[in-house]
C-alpha cells in the first residue's frame, strides 16, 4: 500500500484523470481516492468484476470477510467521478443496487489486434507446425479429427469436470452407437492450481479405455501462438461461471476476435451480451448439454458450425478503438 501511494503521489506527475481497474480493490481503491483528493484529480474506475465476489469463491458468499469486503468496495467507489462497466448487467448493478453517484458507462472488452481469423491454408500450415497438433494433422486435414480449445487459469470459477464428463460421454458414443463422430483433439491452455487434479482424472479414464476418441493436450503458449491456435481451431469452450454473474470472460472475446465459434456456460446474466445463441455460439448448463452440442456441431450438418464461425467473425470485427472512442474517449475528452 505504501509503495503504491509513493508511486502515485511522488513518482507520478499530477494528472487530470486517474483510471483504476477493479479488481483488485485493496489497496487500489482507497489509495486512489486519497491521491485524487490531494491532487484534485478525477477518479474513473474500470470495473471488470467485483473483488468481494472473487473472495467469495474461496471463503463462501456469507463469510464475514466477504461482507466486509463488499461494503469496503462499495464505499470506496462511491465518490469516483465516473465508472466504466464491462457489461450492461454490471452497469445496472452499480446504478440500481449500489446507487453510485457518478455516471456509469458500459464499455465491453474487445479483442486485441493480433487475434485475427485465418484462411484455411494458414490454419493447416500452423496446425502442421504446432507441437500440440502436428501428430494429428492428417486426421485434421481429412476432417476425422476436430480441434477443440479451452483456456483457463485453473481456478474455482471454472469447473473442468463439466468438460471432462462431456468428453467422456462423447467418446463413449463415438466408440459405440455414433461411429460417424470424429475424434476430438482437446487442447487446454493455461496454468493454475487445479491443473494437476484434472490431468490425474484424465489419466485414470484414459487408462481404462474410456477416452479412446479423445486426444488431450495441455499447453502454455506465447501470445502470438495462442492467437494462431484460436484462429486454427474448430470450436472454443468457455467454462467461466462468473463469480458475480455480471462479468464477461476475456477468453471468449479473444476467441471471437480470432473468428472461433464458442460454446460456454451460460448461467449468468451477462452471457447474452457476448454470445448470441445460434449466431456466434451456443450455451450450456450441464455436462450432458455440452456433450449434446459437441455431437451436434462435430457430427451433424457442417453448415451449423460454419454459420457460427461466420457469426464469430462478424462479432470479432468490432475492435478496441470502435468500443473505446465513443465511450471512454468521449468521457476523457480525447474524442469528440
Amino acid at each position: 500500500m505504501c509503495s503504491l501511494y509513493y508511486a502515485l503521489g511522488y513518482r507520478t506527475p499530477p494528472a487530470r484523470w486517474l483510471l483504476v481497474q477493479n479488481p483488485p480493490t485493496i489497496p487500489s481503491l482507497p489509495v486512489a481516492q486519497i491521491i485524487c483528493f490531494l491532487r484534485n484529480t478525477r477518479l474513473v474506475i474500470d470495473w471488470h468484476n467485483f473483488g468481494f465476489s472473487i473472495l467469495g469463491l474461496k471463503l463462501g458468499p456469507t463469510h464475514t470477510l466477504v461482507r466486509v469486503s463488499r461494503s469496503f468496495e462499495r464505499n470506496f467507489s462511491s465518490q469516483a467521478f465516473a465508472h466504466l462497466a464491462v457489461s450492461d448487467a454490471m452497469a445496472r448493478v452499480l446504478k440500481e443496487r449500489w446507487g453510485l453517484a457518478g455516471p456509469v458507462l458500459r464499455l465491453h472488452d474487445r479483442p486485441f489486434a493480433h487475434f485475427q481469423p485465418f484462411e484455411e491454408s494458414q490454419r493447416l500450415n500452423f496446425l502442421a507446425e504446432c507441437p500440440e497438433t502436428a501428430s494429428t494433422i492428417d486426421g485434421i486435414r481429412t476432417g476425422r479429427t476436430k480441434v477443440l480449445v479451452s483456456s483457463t487459469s485453473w481456478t474455482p470459477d471454472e469447473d473442468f469436470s463439466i468438460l471432462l464428463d462431456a468428453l467422456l460421454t462423447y467418446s463413449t458414443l463415438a466408440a459405440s452407437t455414433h461411429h460417424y463422430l470424429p475424434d476430438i483433439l482437446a487442447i487446454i491452455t493455461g496454468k493454475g492450481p487445479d491443473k494437476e487434479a484434472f490431468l490425474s482424472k484424465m489419466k485414470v479414464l484414459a487408462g481404462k479405455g474410456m477416452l479412446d476418441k479423445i486426444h488431450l493436450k495441455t499447453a502454455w503458449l506465447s501470445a502470438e501462438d495462442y492467437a494462431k491456435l484460436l484462429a486454427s481451431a474448430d470450436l472454443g469452450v468457455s467454462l467461466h461461471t462468473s463469480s458475480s454473474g455480471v462479468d464477461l470472460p476475456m477468453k471468449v472475446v479473444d476467441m471471437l476476435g480470432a473468428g472461433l465459434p464458442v460454446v460456454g456456460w451460460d448461467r449468468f446474466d451477462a452471457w447474452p451480451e457476448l454470445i448470441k445463441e445460434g449466431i456466434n455460439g451456443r450455451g450450456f448448463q450441464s455436462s450432458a448439454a455440452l456433450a449434446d452440442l459437441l455431437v451436434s456441431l462435430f457430427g451433424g450438418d457442417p453448415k451449423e458450425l460454419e454459420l457460427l464461425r461466420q457469426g464469430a467473425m462478424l462479432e470479432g470485427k468490432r475492435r478496441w478503438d470502435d468500443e473505446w472512442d465513443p465511450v471512454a474517449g468521449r468521457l476523457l475528452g480525447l474524442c469528440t
Side-chain angles (χ1 to χ4, degrees):
M1 184 171 181
C2 292
S3 60
L4 179 60
Y5 179 83
Y6 179 78
L8 291 176
Y10 293 93
R11 299 186 62 184
T12 305
R16 182 182 180 188
W17 303 96
L18 179 58
L19 180 63
V20 176
Q21 179 174 307
N22 187 71
T25 303
I26 303 172
S28 302
L29 287 188
V31 171
Q33 287 282 15
I34 293 171
I35 293 297
C36 288
F37 175 77
L38 294 176
R39 288 188 159 188
N40 195 28
T41 295
R42 291 177 173 179
L43 175 63
V44 178
I45 301 177
D46 182 17
W47 294 85
H48 286 254
N49 204 345
F50 295 122
F52 78 88
S53 70
I54 296 175
L55 182 62
L57 292 174
K58 296 181 179 180
L59 303 180
T62 61
H63 195 281
T64 301
L65 286 178
V66 176
R67 294 200 299 268
V68 170
S69 176
R70 184 181 186 278
S71 297
F72 185 95
E73 193 166 7
R74 182 174 181 176
N75 290 334
F76 275 97
S77 62
S78 61
Q79 299 304 312
F81 179 82
H83 306 266
L84 304 175
V86 76
S87 69
D88 285 318
M90 178 175 287
R92 287 194 297 271
V93 170
L94 294 174
K95 290 178 183 177
E96 299 170 9
R97 298 185 194 174
W98 287 32
L100 298 183
V104 180
L105 309 174
R106 189 264 292 150
L107 183 67
H108 282 150
D109 282 330
R110 306 309 302 176
F112 290 108
H114 62 284
F115 291 98
Q116 297 288 342
F118 267 180
E119 298 291 339
E120 183 64 13
S121 59
Q122 293 175 290
R123 172 180 179 267
L124 293 176
N125 287 340
F126 173 77
L127 293 175
E129 297 173 358
C130 178
E132 287 74 24
T133 57
S135 62
T136 56
I137 188 60
D138 290 340
I140 293 172
R141 284 198 174 103
T142 60
R144 287 304 305 160
T145 300
K146 297 295 184 181
V147 181
L148 180 151
V149 175
S150 188
S151 175
T152 179
S153 53
W154 298 102
T155 50
D157 64 340
E158 294 178 309
D159 184 1
F160 265 76
S161 66
I162 295 172
L163 177 60
L164 181 58
D165 291 343
L167 292 175
L168 177 60
T169 299
Y170 181 97
S171 184
T172 301
L173 290 172
S176 56
T177 58
H178 294 56
H179 296 290
Y180 60 88
L181 289 175
D183 290 2
I184 292 179
L185 171 59
I187 303 175
I188 304 175
T189 68
K191 294 180 179 180
D194 294 338
K195 178 179 178 179
E196 293 306 318
F198 176 82
L199 292 178
S200 296
K201 292 178 182 179
M202 290 290 293
K203 186 175 181 180
V204 170
L205 292 173
K208 295 179 179 179
M210 301 173 70
L211 293 171
D212 288 345
K213 297 297 182 177
I214 308 297
H215 312 280
L216 176 71
K217 300 286 182 70
T218 58
W220 178 251
L221 304 172
S222 67
E224 181 182 358
D225 283 345
Y226 174 63
K228 291 180 179 179
L229 178 63
L230 294 187
S232 303
D234 294 293
L235 187 66
V237 176
S238 170
L239 295 167
H240 179 81
T241 56
S242 180
S243 63
S244 63
V246 294
D247 71 311
L248 288 172
M250 190 66 196
K251 72 191 72 180
V252 175
V253 175
D254 295 338
M255 289 174 181
L256 296 176
L260 180 63
V262 181
V263 294
W265 183 265
D266 67 356
R267 197 183 293 176
F268 58 98
D269 292 343
W271 176 257
E273 296 183 37
L274 196 56
I275 295 298
K276 309 299 186 291
E277 185 69 20
I279 296 177
N280 57 10
R282 300 286 302 275
F284 59 84
Q285 297 185 4
S286 68
S287 60
L290 175 55
D292 289 342
L293 286 175
L294 296 179
V295 170
S296 173
L297 294 174
F298 288 160
D301 187 347
K303 291 181 180 179
E304 183 179 4
L305 187 57
E306 180 58 28
L307 180 65
L308 295 181
R309 182 176 296 278
Q310 293 300 320
M313 293 174 66
L314 182 62
E315 176 67 24
K317 286 183 178 180
R318 186 170 176 83
R319 297 286 163 156
W320 263 115
D321 288 347
D322 302 317
E323 192 75 21
W324 173 273
D325 289 352
V327 181
R330 187 170 296 175
L331 171 69
L332 300 176
L334 302 175
C335 302
T336 57

